[in-house]
Amino acid sequence: MRFLLTKRVFKIFPPRCQRLWLTYTSFSSTSHSGGFSGDSEPESWRTMEGLLRTPANFAPLSPVTFLERSAKVYRDRTSLVFGSVYHTWFQTYQRCLCLASALTSLGTSTGDVVATLAPNVPAMYELHFAVPMAGLILCPLNTRLDPSTLSVLLAHSEAKILFVDQQLLELAHGALDLLVKSDRTRKSPKLVLISQSNGDDSENDDSSSKFASQYSFDYEYETLLQSGNSEFEVIKPRSEWDPISINYTSGTTSSPKGVVYSHRGAYLNTLATVFLHQMPVYPVYLWTVPMFHGNGWCLIWGVAAQGGTNICLKKVTPKLIFKNISMHQITNMGGAPTVLNMIVKCPVTEQKRLPHRVEIMTGGSPPQPQILAKMEELGFNVSHMYGLTETHGPGTYCLWKPEWDSLSLEERCKLKARQGVQHLGLEGLEVKDPVTMETVPDDGLTMGEVMFKGNTVMSGYYKDLEATRKAFEGDWFHSGDLAVKHPDGYIEVKDRLKDVIISGGENISSVEVERVLSSHQAVFEAAVVARPDNHWGETPCGFVKLKDGIDGIKPEEIIRFCRDRLPHYMAPKTIVFGDIPKTSTGKVQKHILRKRAEELGSL
Amino acid sequence: MRFLLTKRVFKIFPPRCQRLWLTYTSFSSTSHSGGFSGDSEPESWRTMEGLLRTPANFAPLSPVTFLERSAKVYRDRTSLVFGSVYHTWFQTYQRCLCLASALTSLGTSTGDVVATLAPNVPAMYELHFAVPMAGLILCPLNTRLDPSTLSVLLAHSEAKILFVDQQLLELAHGALDLLVKSDRTRKSPKLVLISQSNGDDSENDDSSSKFASQYSFDYEYETLLQSGNSEFEVIKPRSEWDPISINYTSGTTSSPKGVVYSHRGAYLNTLATVFLHQMPVYPVYLWTVPMFHGNGWCLIWGVAAQGGTNICLKKVTPKLIFKNISMHQITNMGGAPTVLNMIVKCPVTEQKRLPHRVEIMTGGSPPQPQILAKMEELGFNVSHMYGLTETHGPGTYCLWKPEWDSLSLEERCKLKARQGVQHLGLEGLEVKDPVTMETVPDDGLTMGEVMFKGNTVMSGYYKDLEATRKAFEGDWFHSGDLAVKHPDGYIEVKDRLKDVIISGGENISSVEVERVLSSHQAVFEAAVVARPDNHWGETPCGFVKLKDGIDGIKPEEIIRFCRDRLPHYMAPKTIVFGDIPKTSTGKVQKHILRKRAEELGSL
């Protein structure tokens, strides 16, 4: 397999333009996997006369243009609400221009990395535009990481500036101390304190401002922003392939990797995500998905594209969710199944039937049918999408078919729990044997690895060419998730490749066992991993968190419950009661549970 | 001003991928009009390690991918209906593969042009995908042109194949005879007869099949298609800048020009247009807009993107429109104001109140408020967009604001008649002085030329670099339309640059005079051009078509009507009764009227 960079002859024209047919560089391969058509230029290809590429008909694709347009088209509409703070799209744009201008005045150079450590405050929203507008690259860090991991990420990303919310200032200092200790020659990033509070809403606020006085910082966000110039000329990407964001994966399975998004990828995935959400114009979006998670599933840019209103929340609690839905007429929101779980299982005093239908997009792990059912009862319309940080978040969705409306609740929930079909931005989605790269039959039974292809797949892992190469082996992105493909073409994820339990030669999907465990009336949530077994190799081991107030239930009772509902080899042989460790985005940390199961010893 | 093609060093990697930071070619200019950021690479720009560009994360943008995806995602849903013919998305894809394969077997080479001369039959829909899938360029010709113009376009486009509907076979032969006469060495394009009939619907059919037997042709569409192979491997564009379509402008003002669209431009405008239509998933689209007009305003590709159903119509009559709306539960349709006019003014026996709300998008010329009002009464929701062939059709739209709902019908119509704001695919829309390139104040009064900028502007005029350069002067696309910008940022087109009447030094918008003329109860439609005047230079001359059955009205009465409603200098001094010459897309041919006005002599 060979790659060629074929460059056509070119000429310089005196006026501000270049002949199109003389300029483009195409890149081709002999790969017959599609995408590129041939090894060399077909002789018959005729150049086309009369065409030009100029700023009149070309601009690098970038999600920043959504804000630039919104400032004009949606000018006086509310862009963002945070407690008593209300901004219009014109104001948001002006503020981002000021912030971008201030960033360049801090001595940054094009391509420098700016990290953030903050919940869903307005600054997080603004930084997603202002940082690329200053020619810089955003690195939104997960706020629930420990100082040691954070120091590794700060070192790896070489961040020049770190924006920190006041309630995380202690954490940031912990990380910076470790960073300096690990390498005395390293210059610590400049620290900008975000002290935005949502003013009148004490519930949504926290009393962490006291921390701010104990720790040093270099600048304060609002002061820095106000020092900037709203006449700032936006630094456009030189190419739409320029990086816009580095997102470190939550690291459920391995050490964190820096997933790089380009301006082009972010632009295209934003549009695909708005389509996937069927988000109308003027949405009112409640920020329950962390903005640091895949840039808020690309909807930070998406809400700008549709002229919507962003309702920012520092904390996500059922009470605040219900309150904000009523107060702001929320149309759309999102959340991992943990958020759905929290809504469904919160005390009835907090739970309210919604005053209007709210579209909620879930993703991150397959939602449990009984949770979907309860959400519908409350007045939510749950949609289900699936993707990875490496696919800019959403990559597939369970596209609903009108004919399913007439099915029973159980059947509907079963269909909705599937991960579905590729969104508009992808070229390909397949379930393949990762060794032979053969596509599995669409029989709903044969398992294979989910693979993606297209412009909305990441540019690669920062500073890890080997990992990038491995992820793109065979010209497909390997997700590491196991799925089947149903006869209607919808995929259903069965497990992480690493989470499958192999017992007596049989593959057991931990997800299916978890589904049964969760349907037990005493169970709040459950996770299943492999426990070593001298006879079977591995057997399922269930970690179970019981509902509040439940007492006296025995592991045997839970095991019997599973045996009644699953083939015997799939039922857990071990049940451990307790809390389930999770990442900030609600993913169960199975590597921790696997370790615990190992420590239990072989059965 | 200078242009540089800066190519970075590159290396060949053994596995199927190339380092991203080593491969991209960026193209920069010293122009400070935006889009390109600098003359040379900033020293501080750091290459990013670890990134790759492979088919896993890159594919040239092309609207063909919408069909490829729909064949999987919307597989068994109805893609197209034509009389008793129903296709699913899977079938449409299979048919396009066959057709593409058959096209390559006719001896075409990548980049060859395939012309069409047909109304909105299924073949037209299929050719929009099959032609680019075969690596060829589509050239949809206007079916209402004369043989002489058609022969010029066939010569100019160098079309290798011409697909002709049976009812246009005589016209095609007329054009081909002239083509051969004009240049005896020229090889005539191969002729493919489209004999698709919509079967059971006699009203929508025509008895033109008799023509087919009188004229020769090389292939028959369905036979040719069936000879193809559905296993055909799609020929992907080598670059997303490759041309996909040449659309000759309707030529209201000058000799036709071949507007070239790239795969990239078509992809991006399709998405922007779907957003602009606020078209939901599964739309049912009635084809009242000619598919040869800007590729059906890009919705040929757009309906595929949203998994909709295309209802094809050979003829557009009010009776058929109302019939199809009921029969197929049409959700969306489009039409020039002529189509709206036809609906509103058709006999009451044909007019029906709609069984459900239908979204209709209009464009082409500013709609008259009284027509908008009547359409609303019937149950249509009219949206208004504006653009040119050079902007892939839609470029702006009158984005509706919820707060306008409570206004009076008159006020709502007045607001809706404005051309509005730029769609999502554009970088810029301004009203500028074409000489100084200064943006006019947003006072709703100062006129300037509408200018566009962005990826959805054409690649240029085929074989006319001078015209392309002129159109892109100052890094903006010059529309030739005069408009004002209102304080809310919405633009309102006042006239074509060429149609403005200059009377005693005052600019008179012919559109405003036409609006008053059309509001006269006896007037069916009206057009206004300049007539030479010895004293004033020019004065307005109105051409008026009266409603059926109206008789005995005098020009003086019409003039008086205008004088009561306009400043005196704006009222026509001349009124001529008769038919108004129009292009196939419903645009008034003002150059013909101007000639007639000149022939009247100076006043």
Side-chain angles (χ1 to χ4, degrees):
Chain A
M1 219 168 273
R2 228 150 32 89
F3 268 74
L4 295 177
L5 190 73
T6 48
K7 191 170 65 67
R8 310 210 171 182
V9 191
F10 66 92
K11 268 187 196 169
I12 309 294
F13 278 90
R16 100 209 55 68
C17 34
Q18 242 175 322
R19 292 201 190 209
L20 184 64
W21 56 274
L22 295 171
T23 64
Y24 65 75
T25 302
S26 63
F27 138 86
S28 58
S29 103
T30 53
S31 152
H32 45 262
S33 60
F36 309 101
S37 63
D39 204 0
S40 62
E41 195 167 326
E43 273 175 43
S44 57
W45 183 265
R46 293 168 319 161
T47 51
M48 267 208 140
E49 266 183 77
L51 313 187
L52 293 169
R53 189 153 99 185
T54 90
N57 67 357
F58 170 72
L61 298 176
S62 166
V64 169
T65 60
F66 299 139
L67 176 60
E68 290 169 340
R69 175 174 168 272
S70 288
K72 290 182 274 188
V73 170
Y74 304 109
R75 207 151 70 177
D76 302 321
R77 302 202 84 81
T78 306
S79 55
L80 184 148
V81 180
F82 183 56
S84 57
V85 174
Y86 281 73
H87 290 152
T88 64
W89 280 109
F90 182 73
Q91 286 171 328
T92 293
Y93 181 52
Q94 295 289 305
R95 287 176 59 84
C96 290
L97 284 169
C98 286
L99 185 53
S101 136
L103 281 168
T104 57
S105 74
L106 295 185
T108 55
S109 312
T110 303
D112 278 352
V113 172
V114 174
T116 68
L117 192 66
N120 291 351
V121 288
M124 274 295 276
Y125 195 84
E126 291 165 346
L127 284 162
H128 270 80
F129 293 98
V131 169
M133 281 158 80
L136 309 173
I137 301 166
L138 190 72
C139 176
L141 296 169
N142 188 325
T143 57
R144 290 174 219 169
L145 296 176
D146 57 298
S148 156
T149 309
L150 284 173
S151 77
V152 170
L153 301 187
L154 286 169
H156 189 265
S157 67
E158 298 174 47
K160 293 283 186 293
I161 305 176
L162 174 61
F163 284 81
V164 185
D165 188 80
Q166 55 186 2
Q167 73 188 54
L168 299 163
L169 202 53
E170 186 179 6
L171 178 62
H173 270 278
L176 292 180
D177 288 350
L178 290 170
L179 179 68
V180 175
K181 261 184 220 153
S182 70
D183 178 2
R184 300 250 163 227
T185 63
R186 184 180 294 276
K187 235 182 117 186
S188 211
K190 282 174 187 156
L191 229 158
V192 185
L193 173 77
I194 304 170
S195 54
Q196 290 175 311
S197 130
N198 52 351
D200 63 357
D201 189 349
S202 61
E203 275 179 279
N204 188 25
D205 207 359
D206 57 338
S207 53
S208 57
S209 56
K210 62 176 161 54
F211 289 121
S213 57
Q214 295 177 22
Y215 296 97
S216 65
F217 52 88
D218 299 298
Y219 305 94
E220 190 277 324
Y221 182 79
E222 198 60 32
T223 316
L224 179 69
L225 187 150
Q226 296 299 340
S227 75
N229 178 2
S230 67
E231 303 282 300
F232 177 71
E233 197 175 330
V234 172
I235 300 176
K236 298 270 177 186
R238 292 172 51 84
S239 143
E240 61 198 37
W241 299 98
D242 283 358
I244 189 170
S245 192
I246 305 177
N247 297 318
Y248 286 92
T249 56
S250 54
T252 47
T253 56
S254 60
S255 63
K257 291 170 181 167
V259 174
V260 178
Y261 295 174
S262 67
H263 282 257
R264 175 184 167 102
Y267 178 97
L268 293 171
N269 205 69
T270 298
L271 291 189
T273 302
V274 173
F275 274 112
L276 169 156
H277 276 78
Q278 297 187 35
M279 195 183 252
V281 76
Y282 311 133
V284 184
Y285 192 78
L286 182 64
W287 276 102
T288 41
V289 170
M291 292 190 189
F292 62 73
H293 190 207
N295 309 103
W297 299 352
C298 282
L299 281 181
I300 293 184
W301 300 310
V303 175
Q306 286 292 65
T309 303
N310 296 281
I311 309 298
C312 292
L313 272 187
K314 254 188 160 176
K315 276 188 208 161
V316 177
T317 68
K319 198 171 172 184
L320 283 170
I321 289 173
F322 284 105
K323 183 181 164 187
N324 277 279
I325 286 174
S326 300
M327 190 159 63
H328 297 293
Q329 287 91 51
I330 299 299
T331 61
N332 295 73
M333 57 182 287
T338 341
V339 173
L340 272 56
N341 206 15
M342 195 171 79
I343 292 173
V344 162
K345 294 185 178 163
C346 79
V348 277
T349 48
E350 289 183 11
Q351 227 172 50
K352 295 190 179 81
R353 220 193 120 69
L354 303 183
H356 59 275
R357 195 176 160 100
V358 174
E359 299 290 330
I360 182 165
M361 182 61 74
T362 191
S365 63
Q368 306 291 344
Q370 60 272 31
I371 291 176
L372 289 178
K374 181 72 183 143
M375 288 293 286
E376 273 198 24
E377 259 175 55
L378 285 170
F380 289 93
N381 184 42
V382 184
S383 300
H384 177 208
M385 66 87 180
Y386 155 77
L388 299 93
T389 302
E390 286 87 339
T391 61
H392 291 77
T396 79
Y397 63 128
C398 185
L399 173 69
W400 194 249
K401 298 186 179 181
E403 55 269 32
W404 292 344
D405 284 339
S406 59
L407 297 177
S408 72
L409 181 66
E410 199 193 333
E411 283 172 303
R412 273 185 286 133
C413 289
K414 209 173 143 193
L415 286 169
K416 201 172 265 185
R418 305 185 307 167
Q419 281 68 21
V421 293
Q422 71 190 67
H423 74 28
L424 203 61
L426 283 169
E427 289 291 300
L429 167 75
E430 286 296 354
V431 180
K432 286 175 172 287
D433 181 318
V435 178
T436 65
M437 290 304 279
E438 297 256 337
T439 298
V440 303
D442 50 358
D443 56 10
L445 293 168
T446 316
M447 284 224 256
E449 188 177 0
V450 181
M451 302 206 186
F452 295 88
K453 181 180 265 194
N455 290 301
T456 59
V457 170
M458 65 165 180
S459 302
Y461 296 113
Y462 185 37
K463 296 184 184 169
D464 196 346
L465 191 59
E466 233 6 270
T468 305
R469 211 173 257 157
K470 208 160 153 257
F472 291 164
E473 228 159 41
D475 287 344
W476 286 83
F477 167 64
H478 297 237
S479 71
D481 284 332
L482 284 180
V484 298
K485 196 173 182 180
H486 289 278
D488 64 356
Y490 281 52
I491 68 160
E492 184 176 357
V493 171
K494 290 293 182 181
D495 219 335
R496 287 290 298 168
L497 201 47
K498 298 193 177 190
D499 294 342
V500 159
I501 300 151
I502 304 171
S503 190
E506 297 283 351
N507 287 346
I508 301 173
S509 153
S510 63
V511 177
E512 286 185 21
V513 185
E514 284 159 8
R515 196 169 290 161
V516 172
L517 277 174
S518 303
S519 70
H520 189 287
Q521 57 171 7
V523 172
F524 181 76
E525 53 186 4
V528 175
V529 297
R531 177 178 175 181
D533 187 292
N534 289 327
H535 181 66
W536 301 107
E538 296 176 353
T539 50
C541 172
F543 289 83
V544 168
K545 184 181 176 177
L546 295 171
K547 284 182 187 162
D548 281 351
I550 299 282
D551 211 16
I553 199 162
K554 292 242 169 64
E556 293 70 33
E557 200 179 321
I558 305 276
I559 292 173
R560 203 161 46 239
F561 178 84
C562 293
R563 287 189 154 235
D564 290 346
R565 286 159 181 83
L566 284 170
H568 278 204
Y569 75 96
M570 285 181 74
K573 292 237 174 340
T574 321
I575 292 290
V576 182
F577 293 123
D579 275 345
I580 313 256
K582 283 198 207 134
T583 67
S584 62
T585 58
K587 281 193 194 168
V588 173
Q589 291 176 300
K590 291 219 170 166
H591 62 287
I592 296 177
L593 294 179
R594 256 192 295 273
K595 223 175 143 209
R596 284 191 204 158
E598 266 170 42
E599 286 162 7
L600 293 173
S602 281
L603 271 176
Chain B
M1 219 168 275
R2 224 149 36 86
F3 268 76
L4 294 177
L5 190 72
T6 45
K7 190 169 67 64
R8 309 210 173 179
V9 191
F10 67 92
K11 269 188 194 167
I12 307 295
F13 277 91
R16 96 209 57 68
C17 34
Q18 242 174 324
R19 292 201 191 209
L20 184 63
W21 57 275
L22 295 169
T23 64
Y24 64 75
T25 302
S26 63
F27 137 84
S28 57
S29 100
T30 53
S31 153
H32 46 261
S33 59
F36 308 101
S37 62
D39 204 1
S40 62
E41 196 167 326
E43 272 173 44
S44 57
W45 184 265
R46 293 168 317 159
T47 52
M48 267 208 139
E49 265 183 78
L51 313 187
L52 293 169
R53 189 153 96 184
T54 90
N57 67 356
F58 170 71
L61 298 176
S62 166
V64 168
T65 60
F66 298 138
L67 175 60
E68 290 168 342
R69 174 175 170 272
S70 288
K72 290 182 274 187
V73 170
Y74 305 108
R75 206 151 73 176
D76 302 321
R77 302 201 84 80
T78 306
S79 56
L80 183 147
V81 180
F82 183 56
S84 57
V85 175
Y86 281 73
H87 291 152
T88 65
W89 281 110
F90 182 73
Q91 287 171 327
T92 294
Y93 182 52
Q94 293 290 304
R95 286 176 59 84
C96 289
L97 284 169
C98 286
L99 185 54
S101 136
L103 281 169
T104 58
S105 74
L106 295 186
T108 54
S109 313
T110 303
D112 278 352
V113 172
V114 174
T116 68
L117 193 66
N120 291 351
V121 289
M124 273 296 274
Y125 194 83
E126 291 165 345
L127 284 161
H128 270 81
F129 294 97
V131 169
M133 281 158 79
L136 309 173
I137 301 166
L138 189 72
C139 176
L141 297 169
N142 187 325
T143 58
R144 290 173 218 168
L145 295 175
D146 57 296
S148 157
T149 309
L150 283 173
S151 76
V152 170
L153 301 188
L154 286 169
H156 189 266
S157 67
E158 299 174 46
K160 293 283 186 295
I161 305 176
L162 174 61
F163 285 82
V164 185
D165 188 81
Q166 56 186 0
Q167 72 189 54
L168 298 163
L169 202 53
E170 185 179 8
L171 178 63
H173 270 279
L176 292 179
D177 289 349
L178 290 172
L179 179 68
V180 175
K181 259 184 222 154
S182 70
D183 178 2
R184 301 248 162 228
T185 63
R186 182 180 294 277
K187 235 182 116 185
S188 212
K190 282 174 186 155
L191 228 158
V192 186
L193 173 76
I194 304 170
S195 53
Q196 292 173 310
S197 130
N198 51 350
D200 62 359
D201 189 349
S202 61
E203 274 178 280
N204 188 22
D205 206 1
D206 58 339
S207 52
S208 59
S209 55
K210 64 177 160 54
F211 289 121
S213 58
Q214 294 177 21
Y215 295 96
S216 65
F217 51 88
D218 299 299
Y219 305 94
E220 190 276 325
Y221 182 80
E222 199 60 32
T223 316
L224 178 71
L225 186 151
Q226 296 299 340
S227 75
N229 178 2
S230 67
E231 303 283 301
F232 177 72
E233 196 176 331
V234 172
I235 300 176
K236 298 271 177 185
R238 292 172 50 83
S239 143
E240 61 198 38
W241 299 98
D242 283 358
I244 188 170
S245 191
I246 306 177
N247 296 318
Y248 286 92
T249 56
S250 54
T252 46
T253 56
S254 61
S255 63
K257 290 170 181 168
V259 174
V260 177
Y261 294 174
S262 68
H263 281 257
R264 174 184 168 102
Y267 178 97
L268 293 171
N269 205 69
T270 297
L271 291 189
T273 303
V274 174
F275 274 111
L276 169 155
H277 276 78
Q278 297 187 34
M279 195 182 252
V281 76
Y282 311 135
V284 185
Y285 192 78
L286 182 64
W287 276 103
T288 40
V289 171
M291 291 190 188
F292 62 72
H293 189 206
N295 309 104
W297 298 352
C298 283
L299 281 180
I300 292 185
W301 299 310
V303 175
Q306 285 292 64
T309 303
N310 295 281
I311 310 298
C312 291
L313 271 187
K314 254 187 159 175
K315 277 186 209 165
V316 177
T317 67
K319 199 172 171 182
L320 283 170
I321 288 172
F322 284 105
K323 183 180 164 187
N324 277 279
I325 286 173
S326 299
M327 191 159 62
H328 297 294
Q329 287 88 51
I330 299 298
T331 60
N332 295 75
M333 57 182 286
T338 341
V339 173
L340 272 56
N341 206 15
M342 197 170 80
I343 292 173
V344 162
K345 295 187 176 162
C346 79
V348 278
T349 49
E350 290 184 10
Q351 227 172 50
K352 294 188 179 82
R353 216 189 124 73
L354 302 184
H356 59 275
R357 195 174 160 99
V358 174
E359 298 292 329
I360 182 166
M361 183 60 75
T362 192
S365 61
Q368 306 290 342
Q370 60 271 32
I371 291 176
L372 289 179
K374 181 74 182 141
M375 288 293 286
E376 273 197 25
E377 260 175 55
L378 285 169
F380 290 94
N381 184 42
V382 184
S383 301
H384 178 207
M385 66 86 181
Y386 155 76
L388 299 93
T389 302
E390 286 86 342
T391 61
H392 292 76
T396 80
Y397 63 128
C398 185
L399 173 70
W400 195 249
K401 299 186 180 181
E403 55 269 31
W404 292 345
D405 283 341
S406 59
L407 296 178
S408 72
L409 182 66
E410 199 192 335
E411 282 172 303
R412 273 186 285 133
C413 290
K414 210 173 141 192
L415 287 169
K416 201 172 264 185
R418 304 186 307 167
Q419 282 68 21
V421 292
Q422 71 191 65
H423 74 28
L424 203 61
L426 284 169
E427 289 292 299
L429 167 76
E430 286 296 352
V431 180
K432 285 174 173 287
D433 180 319
V435 179
T436 64
M437 290 304 279
E438 298 257 335
T439 298
V440 303
D442 51 357
D443 55 9
L445 293 168
T446 317
M447 285 224 256
E449 188 177 358
V450 181
M451 302 205 185
F452 295 89
K453 179 181 264 192
N455 289 301
T456 58
V457 169
M458 64 165 181
S459 302
Y461 296 112
Y462 185 37
K463 295 182 185 170
D464 196 346
L465 191 58
E466 232 8 87
T468 305
R469 211 172 258 157
K470 209 161 153 256
F472 291 164
E473 229 159 40
D475 287 342
W476 286 83
F477 167 63
H478 298 238
S479 72
D481 284 332
L482 283 181
V484 297
K485 196 173 183 182
H486 289 279
D488 64 355
Y490 281 53
I491 68 160
E492 184 176 356
V493 171
K494 290 293 182 180
D495 217 337
R496 288 291 296 168
L497 201 48
K498 297 195 178 186
D499 294 341
V500 160
I501 301 150
I502 303 170
S503 191
E506 297 282 353
N507 288 346
I508 301 174
S509 153
S510 63
V511 177
E512 286 185 21
V513 185
E514 285 159 8
R515 195 169 292 162
V516 171
L517 277 173
S518 303
S519 70
H520 189 287
Q521 57 169 4
V523 173
F524 181 76
E525 53 186 5
V528 174
V529 298
R531 177 178 176 182
D533 188 290
N534 290 328
H535 180 67
W536 301 107
E538 295 175 355
T539 51
C541 171
F543 289 84
V544 168
K545 184 180 177 180
L546 294 170
K547 282 182 186 161
D548 281 351
I550 300 281
D551 212 15
I553 199 163
K554 294 242 166 63
E556 293 71 32
E557 199 179 323
I558 305 278
I559 292 172
R560 204 161 45 239
F561 178 84
C562 293
R563 286 188 156 235
D564 289 348
R565 286 160 181 82
L566 284 169
H568 278 204
Y569 75 94
M570 285 181 72
K573 292 237 173 340
T574 323
I575 291 292
V576 182
F577 293 122
D579 275 344
I580 313 257
K582 283 199 209 129
T583 68
S584 62
T585 57
K587 281 193 196 170
V588 173
Q589 291 175 301
K590 290 218 170 164
H591 60 288
I592 296 176
L593 295 179
R594 256 192 294 273
K595 224 176 143 209
R596 282 191 205 158
E598 265 169 42
E599 286 163 5
L600 293 174
S602 281
L603 270 178

